[in-house]
Amino acid sequence: MDATAGKELTAVEQMLCKAFPDVGPFGTSALEKALRKLEKFELACQGDDWADPECKATNTEALQYARARAVVKGLSWSLRESLQARGRTGTIERLMEEPFLGKSNATKIVEIFQTGTCQRTLARFERGEAPLDSEGNVRMWAHRHEHKATRPMTDGPAKVELSSVLCISAMTAIKLVHERNIRSIAQLRDRPEIVRELHGGHRLDHSLRFHEQLQEPVPAEDACEMLKTVRETVRALRVPRAAGWHAELVGGGRTRGRAGHDVDILLWHKEEMASFLSSQGPVFVLDILLGVLVEQGRVLPKGEAYFSRKCVASRHDDPRPYLRQIHMAQESSKGFENLQYDHHDKFFGIWRSARTGKLHRIDLVVCSHPEELPFARLAWTGTRTLNRLMRLRAIDLGLYLGAHCFVARGDREGTTETKVVVDAQAGRPPEVITLGKLEPLPFKYVQSEEDILRVLACGTNAFAKLVDPTNRNA
DNA sequence: TGGCAATACG
DNA sequence: CGTA
DNA sequence: GCCA
């Protein structure tokens, strides 16, 4: 029996029941692009979520646009046909039956679909003006806190352009516009003394210099070459069972079947961890791999370009931090926020094509423990919006979902126990696992992305469309 | 009607 | 504050 | 915008 039978689905459940193809059948790509632009304007003008430590507010507008775009991608009916058959009002009503769309966003979607823009938000953002709220008032300040507002909603195009530079965040772009009157990348390039003040060092200098190249889509030929080179290089390393290392595309390369401006590669091994112990201490496969790739001239070195490596030694404290009894027993007001989780070793850097000499962003992620592979795959395949939806769903079930495992939050009223339905297929008795506070769900129940999605669907196949990564472009 | 909006690391 |  |  369906675990959700007898009650209405939550908005998050409705979303996860959908498929999000890269290109849908109903001609909504211009609408999706407009909603993406609105999200980017909101992020660039307000700062990303939690960007201001003094004012911990969610960027609700950006979140709404991201969700609205996902809803449009997941629509199983045609806006065009609905507008013909039911008219504007009928279509708005139908949109309001979709998750996360109220009257305001439904109306906006119809306006953008019919006219290509939205007069009170998108058109104003594009002219560098502050948008209007649903009552027609100018939304001059982020977070609606007029008295301590430091972030005007004007100059959207300048802020979007500046924050697209690697190493320049939304908050830095906002300061450049309003404190230094810098309104484009070209203007920033003409002011080396201001660039120096940003303290980005050689990484920022390099990002600015090669910005256009780094924004270009990576040609399929180069993406293939990157994957092949990484795979062959890791398999030739002097590490335990080197031939057992795998390299696969995640990110846009997996959800869309083609790379965007970067290439995301996940490295994993059936038996080995991301690092091993030598007499000198832990050795990271990623470090050795990067050493070779830098030497071969494929990856730009730390002293030359953007280069961010994150490895952790605590992996070899046995057992893992999040499996330690001491952590499960630890109670704190902050819940599991104080937990030190292990993490996958990562590299964010610049690749130089052997074919064209052009530079491209590359992300390498090394799955830290073999059994965490499905969680690493799911998280690093994304998209960002889909990750947020899946993690919201996990919260609904009393679970934490990260890139490593499920952990019981144990923060519900009255009990610290969390019941997890790992299987509720028709014709079988449901299998329910009971977890204590901060106890991880044993990996034997989650051996694939499909298993994770089934747990999120309370043991059913309600979210099975998302098993295919090309349906994950939310 | 008010709390909540994903989660992580250097 | 930067990145995913 | 959703939900207890």
Side-chain angles (χ1 to χ4, degrees):
Chain A
M1 169 153 156
D2 191 323
T4 57
K7 63 172 184 182
E8 299 296 320
L9 299 182
T10 64
V12 171
E13 281 176 289
Q14 290 178 59
M15 289 297 284
L16 295 175
C17 288
K18 295 171 180 286
F20 307 97
D22 179 32
V23 179
F26 302 120
T28 49
S29 75
L31 170 57
E32 290 163 26
K33 283 201 182 78
L35 291 166
R36 170 73 96 196
K37 276 191 203 167
L38 283 164
E39 182 194 1
K40 288 203 168 184
F41 278 128
E42 293 288 351
L43 288 171
C45 290
Q46 296 200 36
D48 205 343
D49 310 16
W50 314 98
D52 180 358
E54 296 299 305
C55 180
K56 289 204 168 185
T58 301
N59 188 334
T60 57
E61 290 80 11
L63 180 58
Q64 291 300 320
Y65 289 130
R67 286 171 173 175
R69 179 174 169 277
V71 170
V72 168
K73 265 220 186 291
L75 238 35
S76 58
W77 48 275
S78 161
L79 273 167
R80 187 181 54 81
E81 285 171 18
S82 175
L83 283 162
Q84 283 170 353
R86 307 158 186 246
R88 203 183 114 88
T89 312
T91 301
I92 290 171
E93 278 168 13
R94 196 167 177 196
L95 279 170
M96 287 171 68
E97 288 167 23
E98 295 287 334
F100 297 117
L101 297 186
K103 191 170 185 186
S104 168
N105 283 325
T107 306
K108 194 172 298 192
I109 283 170
V110 168
E111 182 183 345
I112 295 170
F113 186 75
Q114 291 186 315
T115 71
T117 190
C118 170
Q119 288 308 319
R120 80 175 168 82
T121 53
L122 186 52
R124 292 181 59 91
F125 269 133
E126 287 182 326
R127 292 193 297 263
E129 300 165 0
L132 306 184
D133 66 20
S134 48
E135 288 162 9
N137 304 311
V138 178
R139 192 152 64 83
M140 188 57 75
W141 305 105
H143 302 317
R144 301 172 197 80
H145 288 182
E146 263 100 312
H147 49 288
K148 59 171 177 179
T150 53
R151 283 178 265 166
M153 296 300 289
T154 58
D155 303 281
K159 291 167 187 170
V160 167
E161 177 172 324
L162 290 168
S163 63
S164 71
V165 176
L166 189 62
C167 304
I168 296 184
S169 70
M171 294 307 288
T172 301
I174 289 167
K175 282 182 190 151
L176 283 171
V177 168
H178 294 294
E179 293 173 19
R180 313 310 306 257
N181 198 29
I182 298 288
R183 287 187 150 68
S184 68
I185 293 170
Q187 287 177 12
L188 185 59
R189 281 169 169 156
D190 286 341
R191 302 289 297 277
E193 79 283 5
I194 291 180
V195 173
R196 223 169 298 127
E197 279 172 30
L198 297 179
H199 296 112
H202 68 271
R203 297 178 191 208
L204 175 56
D205 294 340
H206 187 276
S207 299
L208 261 177
R209 198 164 148 208
F210 292 98
H211 177 259
E212 286 74 17
Q213 258 182 58
L214 293 171
Q215 291 297 106
E216 281 173 30
V218 182
E221 206 175 337
D222 288 298
C224 284
E225 189 61 31
M226 287 159 88
L227 180 62
K228 186 164 165 267
T229 303
V230 168
R231 181 186 292 136
E232 286 172 2
T233 306
V234 72
R235 287 181 182 178
L237 297 179
R238 292 217 201 152
V239 299
R241 292 193 264 197
W245 278 98
H246 297 263
E248 63 185 37
L249 292 179
V250 287
R254 186 157 180 242
T255 61
R256 292 191 305 258
R258 65 192 146 74
H261 81 290
D262 76 345
V263 172
D264 306 287
I265 295 171
L266 176 66
L267 291 149
W268 59 275
H269 195 290
K270 270 183 193 152
E271 296 96 13
E272 297 291 331
M273 296 196 293
S275 49
F276 55 92
L277 280 176
S278 75
S279 53
Q280 320 288 316
V283 177
F284 298 96
V285 171
L286 180 58
D287 277 346
I288 316 202
L289 173 64
L290 284 174
V292 176
L293 292 172
V294 169
E295 194 185 346
Q296 289 176 347
R298 295 283 65 77
V299 166
L300 300 196
K302 201 172 177 175
E304 193 176 310
Y306 178 68
F307 186 109
S308 173
R309 162 204 169 280
K310 301 147 198 280
C311 294
V312 72
S314 66
R315 183 168 306 130
H316 296 280
D317 304 345
D318 194 50
R320 269 160 268 174
Y322 59 84
L323 296 178
R324 263 183 240 154
Q325 203 63 40
I326 183 169
H327 283 289
M328 295 181 213
Q330 261 175 1
E331 299 255 352
S332 81
S333 56
K334 290 192 173 178
F336 56 78
E337 281 173 11
N338 286 355
L339 273 181
Q340 290 299 303
Y341 285 94
D342 189 7
H343 65 92
H344 306 295
D345 296 336
K346 304 172 199 75
F347 168 69
F348 310 131
I350 310 290
W351 180 275
R352 183 192 284 120
S353 166
R355 190 175 67 92
T356 65
K358 285 202 176 181
L359 304 182
H360 305 291
R361 277 274 295 105
I362 182 170
D363 297 339
L364 299 175
V365 181
V366 188
C367 181
S368 54
H369 299 267
E371 68 271 32
E372 294 175 359
L373 175 61
F375 292 91
R377 271 190 178 141
L378 194 71
W380 286 89
T381 299
T383 57
R384 173 177 143 108
T385 301
L386 189 64
N387 278 343
R388 295 168 92 168
L389 289 168
M390 292 187 293
R391 289 163 182 193
L392 277 173
R393 175 59 179 166
I395 291 172
D396 286 341
L397 301 179
L399 297 170
Y400 147 91
L401 171 61
H404 301 274
C405 57
F406 278 120
V407 177
R409 304 174 81 98
D411 55 1
R412 286 178 165 172
E413 297 284 319
T415 177
T416 57
E417 286 194 342
T418 304
K419 294 203 184 300
V420 182
V421 184
V422 295
D423 196 297
Q425 314 281 334
R428 288 185 237 171
E431 189 172 4
V432 181
I433 310 299
T434 302
L435 302 175
K437 187 180 174 74
L438 301 184
E439 187 182 347
L441 180 66
F443 287 102
K444 64 175 177 175
Y445 300 112
V446 269
Q447 298 185 42
S448 64
E449 292 173 300
E450 186 173 9
D451 289 347
I452 298 171
L453 288 163
R454 192 181 305 109
V455 169
L456 289 175
C458 292
T460 74
N461 291 323
F463 304 157
K465 286 175 189 157
L466 298 175
V467 174
D468 180 348
T470 66
N471 281 333
R472 297 188 206 162
N473 294 282

